[in-house]
Amino acid sequence: LTLSGEFFDKHREEIMHLVHNKVEEQKAQHPLKRLMNVEDQEAGDVVITFTDVHLPRGVGAAIKHAYEGDLDIHYTEEAGIVRVYWRR
């Protein structure tokens, strides 16, 4: 899941709080669904990796629902990989 944009920069703490809440909610029901890494990119983007292919889609949808913005979901040819991009 890649998060970017001026709005994200200004509301980063609040959006990351939502990310962690969604992960904890899923982890309570499915213990193997976890956040693996949060990486800050040079351009100001944040890339979050998860243990489950469905989790980034669900987290991205929750962010879009709460803050609007653009959400793009791309499934790769390789099995089990999804790339989700949210920008505002």
Side-chain angles (χ1 to χ4, degrees):
L1 171 62
T2 301
L3 306 173
S4 62
E6 189 175 321
F7 182 87
F8 172 68
D9 292 339
K10 291 180 180 177
H11 297 89
R12 177 188 170 125
E13 185 176 327
E14 169 182 343
I15 293 170
M16 292 304 295
H17 186 69
L18 174 64
V19 169
H20 288 286
N21 283 344
K22 293 305 285 183
V23 170
E24 289 301 314
E25 178 183 296
Q26 284 296 308
K27 193 168 64 171
Q29 297 174 355
H30 308 280
L32 298 179
K33 290 186 177 184
R34 297 181 180 267
L35 186 150
M36 289 177 22
N37 189 37
V38 177
E39 181 181 338
D40 291 310
Q41 302 288 304
E42 286 184 29
D45 298 353
V46 170
V47 177
I48 305 170
T49 53
F50 300 91
T51 59
D52 180 77
V53 69
H54 303 289
L55 196 51
R57 185 184 63 214
V59 171
I63 293 170
K64 180 173 175 60
H65 179 75
Y67 300 102
E68 298 180 350
D70 297 318
L71 181 67
D72 294 314
I73 301 172
H74 302 277
Y75 294 92
T76 62
E77 294 294 323
E78 302 122 31
I81 296 178
V82 62
R83 302 210 186 275
V84 179
Y85 303 91
W86 179 84
R87 178 176 186 78
R88 177 167 172 209

